[in-house]
Amino acid sequence: MPESAQMSIIGKPQPRIDGPLKVSGGAMYATDHHFPGLLYAVPVEATIANGKIEKLDTTAAEKMRGVRAIFHRANIGKISRSTPGQGFEGICDERRPPFDDDMVRYYGQYVALAVADTFEAAKAAADAVRVTYSKDEPNLETDLQADDDPKVFDTSFGPEKRLQSERGDPESAFANAAVKLDQTYVTPTETHNPIELQAAIAIWEGEKLTVYEESQAIFNMRSVLAQMFGLPKENVRVITKFVGSGFGSKLWPWTHCPLAVAAARQLGKPVKLVLSRKMTFQAAGHRPRTQQRVRIGATAEGKLVSFQHDYVYARSMLDDHHENCGEATTFHYSVPNLRVKLGRARRNTGASTDMRGPGAVPGLYATESAMNELAEQLTIDPVRLRGLNEPKIDESLGIPFSSRHYLECLELGAKKFGWSQRNPEIGSMKRDGLTLGWGMAGAAWIAARFPAEASIELRDDGTTRVACGTQDIGTGTYTVLAQLAAEKTGVPLDKVEVALGDTSLPEGPISGGSLVTGSVIPAVFAAADNAIASLLMVATKTSGSPFEKHKPDDLAFDGGRVFVKADGAAKGIPFGEILRQANLRLVNGNGKSEATFGEEKPKFSKHSFGCHFVEVTWQPEIARLRVSRVVTVIDAGRMINPLAARNQIEGAVVMGIGMALFEETWYDPQNGAPINSSLADYIMAVNADVPPIDVHFLDFPDKEINELGARGVGEIGLAGFPAAVTAAVHHATGVRVRELPVTIDKLLATT
Ligand code: MOS
């Protein structure tokens, strides 16, 4: 097919098509919806982290004005446990249904629910519920030692073995290595803090349930709710038109959602439940604390001979969320002897969950920090050390990479940053009276496809509609779908309608793993091809049509026009005209693409790569540390929308500055409460903390992922970043911080 003018829409920096709706306040987020008779629910939060409910006194609360009900274990009705099914079905990270027993296992666990005519009345009633507990000591120990079975796990979505990966003989190779490194790195609990709070509106119509939630995975939520309430899936509809970001906290359903559904069922009215910021710290997931020991053995020349990564992460008392810190360890560098092992430690906190770059982000902080420390030990430049250990294939799987340009990332990053000017001596570099620190680190993140279905309509007014039951979590999915549809149909972008965020649409992928763009491309293209095939059929079957004498095979479609191949595009007729002639409103086509995520015998190892170069400034006199310059290079295949992609990487780097310097959820050791549970006390990077971020994309299309060669970029910008910061901090101050975040007290101890 000739490259038409429209083809160039792929790869063009395209502003968000939903931007005007968002900035004008017209975008309907889950809780912007209102319904006649809507009631408001506010949960009652446990104030202990370990123990039992002895008495729940609702008398005062029930008598309050506007109160419809106070629900608890005895009157909420049946909420069944959901079980994981195939693929992304029935996943939740807190599996115990709300109010299932009288046990309390974390601070903030919901123990009752007040429902009233107004939010204020419900809040007052929730506060008036008196709960008496018998208390046990909560376990909030920050030192993580694995407390689980040393051999095998029985989990739905995690590992089955503690031994994650092994090759060669890492122990004796380490023992005999000329140069050895053995360090432990700690990452704290982090809380996602999307600006839009978690919430649900539940509406029952007979046996049919509709839920508005800001979900990153509406079809999974539908499965979970169907199981919990004993409904056929067709009877459950989940709608998520806009998401005020999620970072993983909205991937899997939390217990507030079935509570809203159960309350709506009991009262026969729609119920809205919006969490407070404090509640989101307690019962809507967090990145778990990790403790990771890294042992590396190397030759004096810097060739790795042994790599061992032993990590332990915290999890809640009942749940099994897997924090896969070893994800990138197994393939990142060439090393003949390697072992990755994991362990887990139960704590009295809410369930942990995926947070932007789950697993790899804390994992790469540890392994890339270790590589930087090893470089110093060897007095080899850290960029060079990585180059010396570039693998030819994925050595853990014994298969080639689909597309790996890590060395090109390092080369371009070093050049853009001016790395060759670096004087490795600590504290030796100065500018404007400030001490400079320069550090770098590498990044990797999975690339794969989730299964996806999509449909395309070609309409008689010359417009098109693309539909896919995926979500736009603020990343630009609306715009990417419009670009894909525009490319294939020749319809200008402003005449493309995009429908997503509704389980009544063709089943789309979860908004997770940075995999949406890569997953939807084949589905949307197949849908367009099928719609176009129908159109060509119509063109040949309509009496009076100029194509009446032709077979569909004689015809071609390009730039929105149908023409006889032999005649060329110049004689083409717009598809709207053909449909009008045939007296048809529209033709449509469905498309489907298969998953590659989790495939058993992959032919290629598929990942994105990248690197970060970071400058910090340090003023020892007043202990002021700033990130002053960032260069990030990303190898993620072809960019569909470089504007949205750059925005993703910049956002990830901002989050990386927060992870490196500020973010940490603190638990009160007495009662287990997350104590900095507000946007004032949980410190994140703000504008003043963020310098200009210089983002570069390599352009190596990865045709093993899809026909456009596009991988996703939601998460990789965060991977490795904190290790580049701690390396820069060390270069400036001489202090190696191995426990994030790099707070000032850690630097003062030795300055
Ligand atoms: Mo991301 S943690 O896959 O939302």
Side-chain angles (χ1 to χ4, degrees):
M1 193 159 93
E3 294 255 327
S4 74
Q6 276 297 328
M7 292 295 276
S8 62
I9 196 150
I10 300 296
K12 272 263 172 72
Q14 176 59 50
R16 308 295 172 90
I17 59 164
D18 50 332
L21 205 56
K22 282 188 171 176
V23 296
S24 64
M28 292 292 278
Y29 290 79
T31 58
D32 291 335
H33 295 271
H34 193 82
F35 301 92
L38 184 70
L39 301 176
Y40 297 81
V42 172
V44 178
E45 308 146 67
T47 54
I48 64 165
N50 188 20
K52 196 167 184 280
I53 303 165
E54 290 298 342
K55 194 162 168 265
L56 198 79
D57 183 357
T58 60
T59 2
E62 272 162 9
K63 288 193 197 120
M64 292 169 76
R65 191 144 53 112
V67 170
R68 298 294 182 111
I70 309 293
F71 291 111
H72 43 82
R73 190 152 98 85
N75 64 358
I76 190 72
K78 191 169 172 56
I79 306 176
S80 300
R81 192 168 288 258
S82 85
T83 55
Q86 294 287 307
F88 294 96
E89 279 221 340
I91 298 175
C92 43
D93 277 334
E94 179 169 351
R95 206 158 279 290
R96 170 191 173 275
F99 303 174
D100 203 42
D101 55 33
D102 290 329
M103 303 305 294
V104 176
R105 295 168 180 95
Y106 63 90
Y107 185 100
Q109 180 184 315
Y110 306 133
V111 294
L113 184 77
V115 184
D117 294 336
T118 63
F119 169 75
E120 291 75 10
K123 174 75 175 90
D127 289 346
V129 173
R130 294 280 159 260
V131 192
T132 318
Y133 302 96
S134 61
K135 276 187 250 185
D136 290 318
E137 283 280 300
N139 181 353
L140 294 147
E141 175 59 49
T142 52
D143 180 37
L144 300 180
Q145 301 300 330
D147 59 18
D148 48 14
D149 188 291
K151 288 197 198 74
V152 187
F153 293 128
D154 179 21
T155 68
S156 57
F157 202 60
E160 286 169 352
K161 298 186 179 79
R162 279 190 51 178
L163 184 62
Q164 182 170 350
S165 187
E166 190 175 37
R167 56 183 182 255
D169 183 349
E171 255 156 52
S172 60
F174 181 72
N176 297 322
V179 180
K180 296 187 181 72
L181 172 134
D182 181 355
Q183 292 294 354
T184 297
Y185 303 88
V186 173
T187 64
T189 308
E190 290 183 283
T191 304
H192 310 71
N193 279 302
I195 290 304
E196 183 201 24
L197 297 160
Q198 260 95 357
I201 300 177
I203 304 149
W204 286 88
E205 285 154 298
E207 284 298 293
K208 290 199 177 210
L209 170 67
T210 303
V211 169
Y212 291 80
E213 255 262 17
E214 61 318 278
S215 172
Q216 293 178 234
I218 53 175
F219 280 90
N220 176 69
M221 179 163 279
R222 182 182 73 161
S223 306
V224 169
L225 291 174
Q227 290 178 333
M228 284 181 151
F229 293 93
L231 298 167
K233 272 194 267 184
E234 309 77 70
N235 283 20
V236 183
R237 184 175 174 198
V238 179
I239 299 171
T240 301
K241 288 296 170 187
F242 293 95
V243 181
S245 77
F247 309 120
S249 67
K250 296 167 181 174
L251 269 171
W252 320 121
W254 297 108
T255 49
H256 67 268
C257 182
L259 279 183
V261 172
R265 178 182 59 186
Q266 301 301 78
L267 294 166
K269 300 260 189 204
V271 169
K272 180 190 282 198
L273 193 166
V274 185
L275 300 196
S276 65
R277 181 63 58 182
K278 177 170 171 277
M279 288 173 194
T280 69
F281 275 79
Q282 297 161 174
H286 54 261
R287 194 198 292 282
R289 184 178 181 85
T290 75
Q291 193 164 310
Q292 308 176 54
R293 183 179 183 193
V294 182
R295 276 169 290 177
I296 311 179
T299 66
E301 294 74 38
K303 180 73 197 82
L304 303 184
V305 295
S306 174
F307 205 113
Q308 295 176 80
H309 187 187
D310 293 276
Y311 62 94
V312 182
Y313 57 84
R315 57 176 171 165
S316 67
M317 285 298 161
L318 296 182
D319 295 291
D320 299 323
H321 161 76
H322 175 45
E323 187 70 17
N324 185 8
C325 297
E327 193 221 300
T329 314
T330 60
F331 63 82
H332 208 186
Y333 297 111
S334 174
V335 58
N337 305 290
L338 171 139
R339 183 179 298 144
V340 180
K341 270 180 82 174
L342 63 109
R344 317 194 265 194
R346 294 217 181 270
R347 294 292 181 266
N348 286 105
T349 67
S352 60
T353 193
D354 295 315
M355 179 167 167
R356 202 174 199 170
V361 161
L364 281 162
Y365 160 66
T367 55
E368 285 297 287
S369 293
M371 287 295 279
N372 285 333
E373 292 202 50
L374 180 70
E376 195 204 17
Q377 240 172 288
L378 291 161
T379 56
I380 289 181
D381 182 273
V383 178
R384 205 177 138 242
L385 176 66
R386 285 160 172 92
L388 285 173
N389 293 286
E390 174 70 4
K392 292 203 169 59
I393 60 165
D394 178 328
E395 294 176 0
S396 69
L397 299 174
I399 54 174
F401 292 103
S402 59
S403 175
R404 172 174 166 130
H405 298 277
Y406 184 44
L407 294 183
E408 289 96 323
C409 290
L410 294 171
E411 199 181 322
L412 182 64
K415 188 165 144 239
K416 294 284 174 191
F417 189 82
W419 187 254
S420 63
Q421 304 302 305
R422 179 176 184 260
N423 177 349
E425 195 189 322
I426 284 161
S428 64
M429 295 180 71
K430 309 269 183 196
R431 189 178 62 222
D432 303 333
L434 305 172
T435 305
L436 301 183
W438 285 9
M440 58 79 53
W445 182 249
I446 48 165
R449 281 203 322 259
F450 292 135
E453 292 172 30
S455 72
I456 291 252
E457 280 175 12
L458 296 167
R459 295 157 160 174
D460 65 344
D461 60 359
T463 66
T464 187
R465 174 183 191 261
V466 55
C468 179
T470 188
Q471 310 71 209
D472 189 332
I473 61 172
T475 46
T477 305
Y478 273 109
T479 310
V480 165
L481 283 171
Q483 285 177 282
L484 296 175
E487 148 135 1
K488 290 291 276 191
T489 62
V491 172
L493 213 57
D494 61 352
K495 298 222 158 34
V496 180
E497 182 191 330
V498 183
L500 46 71
D502 189 329
T503 54
S504 65
L505 300 173
E507 184 160 347
I510 68 164
S511 296
S514 307
L515 303 184
V516 172
T517 299
S519 305
V520 298
I521 288 167
V524 171
F525 280 11
D529 286 340
N530 288 333
I532 291 163
S534 300
L535 177 77
L536 299 185
M537 184 68 77
V538 166
T540 60
K541 293 255 160 82
T542 306
S543 62
S545 150
F547 306 114
E548 204 187 341
K549 301 258 147 49
H550 291 275
K551 294 199 178 65
D553 279 354
D554 302 336
L555 305 182
F557 178 95
D558 190 26
R561 300 163 86 88
V562 175
F563 52 92
V564 179
K565 280 178 195 160
D567 294 353
K571 293 202 175 161
I573 298 183
F575 68 80
E577 214 169 290
I578 289 167
L579 292 170
R580 291 197 296 277
Q581 212 163 35
N583 198 23
L584 283 173
R585 268 276 6 247
L586 56 88
V587 286
N588 60 18
N590 295 317
K592 197 172 174 162
S593 61
E594 303 302 326
T596 66
F597 182 81
E599 62 190 336
E600 251 170 56
K601 288 215 167 92
K603 283 215 250 350
F604 294 95
S605 174
K606 298 185 275 293
H607 306 272
S608 290
F609 296 92
C611 65
H612 309 279
F613 288 80
V614 170
E615 178 188 90
V616 299
T617 60
W618 170 238
Q619 281 172 280
E621 303 83 357
I622 55 167
R624 175 185 278 179
L625 180 72
R626 287 282 188 270
V627 172
S628 49
R629 205 153 64 84
V630 175
V631 173
T632 292
V633 185
I634 299 294
D635 163 32
R638 188 173 180 195
M639 290 303 119
I640 304 300
N641 183 354
L643 191 62
R646 177 174 307 272
N647 180 247
Q648 280 303 296
I649 299 299
E650 287 172 345
V653 166
V654 172
M655 208 161 171
I657 294 173
M659 181 173 178
L661 303 185
F662 308 119
E663 291 197 42
E664 174 169 19
T665 307
W666 301 318
Y667 293 93
D668 183 331
Q670 308 270 330
N671 64 5
I675 41 182
N676 54 340
S677 58
S678 72
L679 290 183
D681 295 318
Y682 183 89
I683 312 297
M684 284 181 279
V686 297
N687 277 339
D689 302 306
V690 180
I693 300 162
D694 188 15
V695 179
H696 299 272
F697 293 108
L698 303 186
D699 186 20
F700 293 101
D702 183 348
K703 293 294 170 81
E704 295 303 324
I705 294 290
N706 50 51
E707 44 268 69
L708 294 181
R711 304 191 291 236
V713 288
E715 288 158 296
I716 187 159
L718 179 54
F721 190 82
V725 174
T726 52
V729 167
H730 174 258
H731 184 222
T733 66
V735 182
R736 282 280 178 205
V737 179
R738 299 190 185 91
E739 179 166 350
L740 293 180
V742 185
T743 46
I744 295 306
D745 54 306
K746 292 172 186 163
L747 301 180
L748 291 181
T750 42
T751 340

